[in-house]
Every structure is written in structure tokens, then in C-alpha cells.
């Protein structure tokens, strides 16, 4: 049965227009039949709006129905800042209250350090600047279009720093070398950190990227200034714009440096140690017999220390073993009918054992602000000195028990022989240079530097009657000044020109008198002499550091501002704390 088509009913007046129906998500149809649709296809939905009832208002899609919706009249909170963004505007910033800022019409001057200065001075200057004030980086070594290989550059930097720190270089110089390597290969946002046994470097690509950090531990140290000089040449070549060294070439040269043999064999080191002790004994008033006895005792102590090292004993016991033969030789001569100065024999052996290199490095680190490294180095020096004291005292106690005529002299250098002592001082510096495995072309220069230092000390202490501590500080300052200038002229480390030259100034006699007084039960006199030895050692270290700083003070590093030479940049130091 087909239903009759009725007339189309008019749309109610209060119904919504068709556009609202479209936005509501469904279409409202009248309940009556439609003329264009067959009767059997009319909709019979139970959701149809009955006749005579206005359809409900359409619900907007973007209308919130959540219980967390913000009530009317309340401002919506601002979207949170992007996490880690350094460029987001601070919440406390107000444009009207901000200070007037503008860029000059000619632009900001670009500061560049001159290439004429050694890389050590340029890197020290930048390391003591805040990161935001450092000059624009200039990539010296080329790399491919993908940019620098960050892991390999950091690894090369750590390996070079390890060789420098293991060779006895100061913490500030090690950081300067590491900064020069990373900067030359395009990693300008690097911060190296050096402690006594740990090296670390952090690279941050940008302000919003995660930093990359690499570490390396120094577990073994060795004295080889030839290797140290080779590492300095490698750093100079990498940081120089005239030479192009790829990462592969730098790794190859570094491997060659590690494989290089020492310039002097083991037997030459033993002979040099004996000659050093003999020269020191002549320096404090000994004759040829004392020279021979001191040389034999020092060579026996050196062989005994090598034997202990081969058995894996710690360095403390090696120093104990090395200090016993020279002391035994002096005690034996005092028990013999020969008229010799046994104290000069023992003093010569002490000159060959006092760790002057570690002492100077420790004080230098402390003066430059590396207090953790300085404390560790000085603690190492303390342990080695205790080892020397233990070895010498054990023999002196035995000698006193046997009735050896060991009496402390009243003054240092009681025999004044200027010509002989000058030759002995130069010979002592020469032997020290051999023991430190220096380049053969630096041996003559360091020998002359040692002679100059001793001449200044003799003129002040023996001729002008200036106290020994002040005379030692002045002489050490000149040694450090000349050594730093020689190193700057050849773009090398200053240690080969300084360490061996301070050998004649080491407090061997004061140390011996302190040990002898303690062994005889005169504790007050022994402590007084030991305090004098410590004061002389500190005077040497401070004088060397002051001489090095004076050389940098007079030869400052001028920058280039806008392509023209500008005023010299100040190498900023640590801020004084004023006690709080």
C-alpha cells in the first residue's frame, strides 16, 4: 500500500537555518514524506524531530565540554617556554622598561689575537677570558663539508694533554695546549679541565644542544723532555695557519712521538747521576776524593733504585733505596783514617735525589690557581722527601752507633772557590739535563743558564752578604726569566731550559744538616735547618714562576681590532677574595 503524498509543510519560524544544521554534524529532516523520494525509501529514523517541534540548537565543534575548561571571564594562561631554550623571552622582561640598546653604524669590532705571539700566550689569554668575550674562532685546520669529527678531535686533544701532564708540564700549560688543539680543528666552545691525574674536555655545539664530554686518566709519569718538546712542536704546527695538518697526520705524528726512543741510554743516565753527585759535592767544598766517593755512592744508589723499580716497588721505597748508598759512603769515609769531608759526600747524593722538578711544578700550579693539582703535587713531593729522609736517617743512626765523627758544619759553602764552584755548577746543570732526557741542542743553553743562576747567587749571598733565601729567589727568578725567553723564541716548553738550571740552587746542604741534627738528637736544630731547606725550596719555585710571569708581562700579546693593531689584551688573573 502506497501512502499518499501530502502537501509539503512549511518550515517553522524559530528553526535554525540550514547552515547551523550543517555545522551541527548531522542533517535534520522533516517527518513528512518527500515528493522526490519513493514512499518505501522515506526515513523512519527514531531520531527524527517530530512535527511541530523546533530542532535543538546545534553544538559547536570547538565548544569545550571538559570539566577542566577555563571559566568565562578568566584569562587563559600563557603557553610554557620551550624547555632548554636560551632564546625565550624571560617572563620578567618588559619592552618599555628595557634599556636602550643599539648597534653602531660601523658594527661591532672583531677582536683577533695576532699570530706573531706564541700559541701558549694566545691560549692563556683566551682561557682567562669569559666565554662571551673570547675572540671569534678562526679554524686553522681544514675539514670536510660535514664539519669537524667531534669524537676524534676530543680524543686527540686528550692524548696530547696526557703526554704533557705525564711529562711534568704545569696544569695551565696543559689546558692551553688542549684549548689550542680543539680550537684549531673548529671546536671553539670547548672547556678543558686538568687535575693531577684526570683530564677532561667538554664541547657544547650551541646553547641549546647537549654537551659532549670526554675524560682520560694519567696513570704513569715519566721524565722525557725530548718527548715533551716534540709534543710542543706538534701543538705549534697544528695551531699555526701556515701548516695544514689533518687529523690522520696528527695521529701519525703522535704515534711516532710515543714510539721514539730516549736520546740517552740507561748507562748514560747512571753515569750522569754519579757525575751530578760529584759536582754537587765539589760545589759545597769537596775535593777530588770527595768527588769520586760521591759519584760512586750515587751510581750505586741509582742501580739499587732501578732494581726496586723492576720488582714493582712503589716510588717511595725507590727513593729510600737510592738515598742509602751515598749516606753509607759518607759514613764509611768518616770511619776511615782519611781526612775527607764526609758531609760533602752525603750532600752530593742528596742533590741528585731532591725532587726539584715536582716542587717547581706544584708551586707554579698553586700560584696560577690550580689548587687541587698543586696540593697533589706538593703531597707527592712530601712523600718523596720523607723517603729520602728515611733512607739517610737509617744510615746515619747506624754510623753514630758505630762512632762515626759526623759533626754538622756551621755554614753553607765554607770553602769559597768561585772558579771551581762555577764549573761545578755548570757541570751539575749539564748532568741534570742528561737525566731529564733533553734534546741535545738544548743541553748547552741550559748549562749556561745554570751557570748564570749560580753566579748571581754567589754574588748576592757570598759577596753582598744577602740572606740565602733572598739570594736564591733572585737567582731562580733570573733562571726562569731567561728560560721562558728561550722557550718563547723557539715555541717550546720552558721546562727544559729551567728545571736543570735550578739544580745548583737546590737545598742539599740544609737538608743534610737537618737530618744529621735529628739523628744526633738535636731536634730543635734539625727542625730549624729543615725549615730553612723548605724556605729555600719555596724561594726557588716562586722565583722561577715570577721570572716566567715577568717575561709575559713585558712581552704582552697585542690583539688586532678591525684589521688594525689594538691595545694589548690583559691576561686576567683570579679575583681576590678579600678573606670572604
Amino acid at each position: 500500500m502506497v501512502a499518499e503524498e501530502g502537501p509539503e509543510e512549511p518550515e517553522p519560524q524559530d528553526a535554525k537555518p540550514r547552515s547551523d544544521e550543517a555545522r551541527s554534524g548531522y542533517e535534520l529532516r522533516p517527518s513528512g514524506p518527500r515528493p522526490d523520494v519513493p514512499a518505501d525509501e522515506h526515513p523512519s529514523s527514531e531520531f527524527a524531530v517530530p512535527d511541530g517541534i523546533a530542532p535543538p540548537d546545534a553544538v559547536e565543534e570547538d565548544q569545550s565540554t571538559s570539566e577542566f575548561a577555563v571559566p568565562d571571564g578568566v584569562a587563559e594562561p600563557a603557553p610554557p617556554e620551550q624547555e632548554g631554550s636560551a632564546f625565550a623571552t624571560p617572563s620578567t622582561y618588559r619592552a618599555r622598561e628595557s634599556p636602550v640598546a643599539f648597534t653602531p653604524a660601523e658594527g661591532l669590532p672583531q677582536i683577533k689575537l695576532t699570530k706573531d705571539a706564541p700559541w701558549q700566550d694566545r691560549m692563556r689569554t683566551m682561557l682567562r677570558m669569559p666565554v662571551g668575550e673570547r675572540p671569534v674562532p678562526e679554524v686553522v685546520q681544514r675539514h670536510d663539508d660535514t664539519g669537524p669529527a667531534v669524537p676524534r678531535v676530543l680524543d686527540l686533544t686528550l692524548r696530547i694533554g696526557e703526554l704533557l701532564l705525564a711529562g711534568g708540564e704545569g696544569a695551565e700549560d696543559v689546558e692551553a695546549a688542549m684549548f689550542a688543539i680543539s680550537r684549531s680543528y673548529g671546536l671553539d666552545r670547548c672547556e678543558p679541565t686538568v687535575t693531577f691525574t684526570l683530564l677532561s674536555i667538554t664541547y657544547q655545539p650551541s646553547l641549546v644542544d647537549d654537551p659532549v664530554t670526554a675524560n682520560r686518566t694519567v696513570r704513569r709519569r715519566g721524565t722525557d723532555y725530548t718527548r715533551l718538546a716534540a709534543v710542543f712542536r706538534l701543538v705549534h704546527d697544528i695551531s699555526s695557519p701556515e701548516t695544514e695538518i689533518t687529523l690522520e697526520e696528527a695521529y701519525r705524528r703522535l704515534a711516532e712521538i710515543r714510539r721514539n726512543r730516549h736520546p740517552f741510554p740507561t748507562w748514560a743516565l747512571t753515569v750522569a747521576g754519579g757525575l751530578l753527585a760529584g759536582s754537587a759535592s765539589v760545589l759545597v767544598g769537596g775535593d777530588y776524593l770527595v768527588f769520586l766517593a760521591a759519584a760512586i755512592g750515587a751510581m750505586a744508589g741509582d742501580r739499587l733504585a732501578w732494581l726496586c723499580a723492576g720488582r714493582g716497588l712503589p716510588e717511595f721505597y725507590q727513593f729510600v733505596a737510592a738515598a742509602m748508598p751515598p749516606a753509607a759512603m759518607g759514613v764509611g769515609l768518616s770511619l776511615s783514617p782519611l781526612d775527607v769531608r764526609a758531609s760533602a759526600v752525603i750532600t752530593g747524593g742528596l742533590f741528585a735525589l731532591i725532587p726539584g722538578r715536582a716542587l717547581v711544578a706544584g708551586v707554579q700550579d698553586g700560584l696560577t690557581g690550580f689548587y687541587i693539582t698543586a696540593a697533589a703535587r706538593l703531597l707527592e713531593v712530601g712523600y718523596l722527601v720523607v723517603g729520602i729522609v728515611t733512607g739517610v736517617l737509617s744510615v746515619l743512626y747506624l754510623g753514630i752507633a758505630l762512632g762515626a765523627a759526623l759533626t754538622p758544619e756551621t755554614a753553607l759553602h765554607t770553602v769559597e772557590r768561585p772558579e771551581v764552584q762555577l764549573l761545578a755548577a755548570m757541570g751539575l746543570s749539564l748532568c741534570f739535563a742528561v737525566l731529564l732526557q733533553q734534546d741535545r741542542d738544548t743541553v748547552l743553553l741550559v748549562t749556561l743558564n745554570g751557570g748564570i743562576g749560580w753566579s748571581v747567587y754567589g754574588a748576592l749571598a757570598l759577596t753582598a752578604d744577602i740572606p740565602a733565601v733572598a739570594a736564591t729567589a733572585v737567582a731562580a727568578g733570573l733562571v726562569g726569566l731567561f728560560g721562558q725567553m728561550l722557550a718563547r723564541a723557539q715555541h717550546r716548553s720552558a721546562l727544559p731550559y729551567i728545571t736543570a738550571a735550578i739544580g745548583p740552587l737546590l737545598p742539599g746542604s740544609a737538608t743534610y744538616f737537618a737530618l744529621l741534627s735529628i739523628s744526633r738528637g738535636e731536634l730543635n736544630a734539625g727542625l730549624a735547618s729543615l725549615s730553612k731547606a723548605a724556605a729555600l725550596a719555596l724561594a726557588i719555585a716562586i722565583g722561577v714562576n715570577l721570572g716566567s710571569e715577568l717575561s709575559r708581562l713585558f712581552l704582552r700579546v697585542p690583539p688586532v681590532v678591525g684589521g688594525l693593531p689594538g691595545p694589548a689584551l690583559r691576561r686576567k688573573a683570579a679575583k681576590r677574595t678579600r678573606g670572604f
Side-chain angles (χ1 to χ4, degrees), residues 149-461:
V150 176
R152 298 195 65 193
V153 173
L154 296 183
D155 179 72
L156 176 66
T157 302
L158 289 175
R159 290 178 181 273
I160 291 178
E162 178 190 9
L163 285 181
L164 293 176
L165 187 61
E169 194 64 57
E172 186 181 27
D173 293 331
V174 176
E175 282 194 0
M178 295 173 64
F179 190 73
I181 297 297
S182 60
R183 191 178 176 88
S184 299
Y185 283 107
L187 306 185
D188 57 307
R189 293 181 176 272
C190 281
E191 287 296 335
T193 304
V194 176
T195 58
F196 185 55
T197 58
L198 180 65
L199 297 99
S200 175
I201 185 168
T202 301
Y203 169 65
Q204 189 170 10
S206 65
L207 295 177
V208 296
D209 292 332
D210 295 332
V212 181
T213 303
N215 300 322
R216 196 170 184 88
T217 303
V218 178
R219 302 188 182 277
R220 187 177 181 181
R221 294 178 179 82
T223 304
D224 189 348
Y225 282 179
T226 300
R227 178 179 297 176
L228 191 67
V231 175
F232 262 74
R233 285 194 296 268
L234 175 60
V235 177
H236 170 68
D237 293 341
I238 292 177
S239 59
S240 176
E242 286 79 14
T243 58
E244 180 180 348
I245 300 180
T246 61
L247 278 173
E248 289 73 14
E249 177 67 16
Y251 269 107
R252 185 189 63 80
R253 290 182 57 177
L254 188 62
E256 290 180 354
I257 292 173
R258 288 181 175 274
R259 289 195 301 263
N260 281 347
R261 300 185 62 182
H262 301 305
F264 302 102
T266 304
W267 65 266
L269 300 181
T270 302
V271 174
L275 295 178
L276 188 152
S279 301
S281 64
V282 174
L283 193 65
V284 295
D287 52 11
Y288 68 93
L289 185 59
V290 172
F291 175 89
L292 183 61
I296 294 175
M299 287 189 289
D302 180 76
R303 287 293 87 195
L304 186 59
W306 276 101
L307 182 62
C308 295
R311 297 297 185 271
L313 290 178
E315 197 172 12
F316 174 84
Y317 299 104
Q318 297 176 27
F319 271 79
V320 173
M324 293 177 67
M329 184 67 69
V331 170
L333 289 177
S334 63
L335 293 174
S336 66
L338 298 176
D339 186 14
V340 294
R341 298 185 56 170
S343 60
V345 177
I346 303 176
T347 302
L350 291 176
F351 266 91
L353 296 176
I354 295 177
R357 173 182 59 87
L359 176 65
V360 171
V363 175
Q364 181 179 359
D365 289 340
L367 294 176
T368 52
F370 296 84
Y371 300 113
I372 297 178
T373 307
R377 289 185 188 271
L378 294 177
L379 184 61
E380 180 189 28
V381 171
Y383 270 103
L384 298 182
V385 170
V386 170
I388 298 171
V389 169
T390 303
V392 175
L393 280 180
S394 61
V395 177
L396 290 182
Y397 279 129
L398 180 60
I400 293 175
L402 295 176
L406 297 173
T407 56
E409 284 76 5
T410 57
L412 298 175
H413 313 296
T414 54
V415 181
E416 296 184 7
R417 296 172 297 176
E419 298 83 3
V420 176
Q421 289 179 341
L422 178 59
L423 293 177
M426 296 177 65
L428 191 150
S429 299
L430 175 64
C431 296
F432 255 126
V434 175
L435 287 176
L436 295 174
Q437 297 283 5
Q438 294 188 192
D439 280 335
R440 299 184 179 181
D441 56 348
T442 64
V443 172
L444 178 60
L445 294 176
V446 73
T447 302
L448 295 176
N449 199 14
I452 292 174
W454 175 256
S455 299
V456 173
Y457 171 81
L460 295 177

Side-chain angles (χ1 to χ4, degrees), residues 61-150:
E61 287 186 357
D62 56 351
Q63 181 177 354
S64 175
T65 59
S66 172
E67 59 182 355
F68 300 102
V70 180
D72 297 337
V74 179
E76 296 185 2
E81 298 181 1
Q82 183 181 357
E83 184 179 358
S85 175
F87 303 100
T89 304
S91 59
T92 57
Y93 176 79
R94 299 292 183 272
R96 295 182 178 180
E97 301 175 1
S98 62
V100 179
F102 64 93
T103 301
E106 63 275 7
L108 296 176
Q110 184 180 15
I111 301 178
K112 302 178 181 179
L113 295 178
T114 178
K115 302 296 187 302
D116 299 333
W119 63 265
Q120 299 98 315
D121 292 341
R122 289 187 283 117
M123 295 304 111
R124 287 192 192 98
T125 302
M126 283 187 287
L127 279 175
R128 295 192 178 187
M129 289 182 182
V131 178
E133 298 180 6
R134 290 176 181 173
V136 177
E138 298 179 1
V139 180
V140 177
Q141 304 301 331
R142 300 176 182 176
H143 46 73
D144 53 12
D145 297 335
T146 60
V150 176

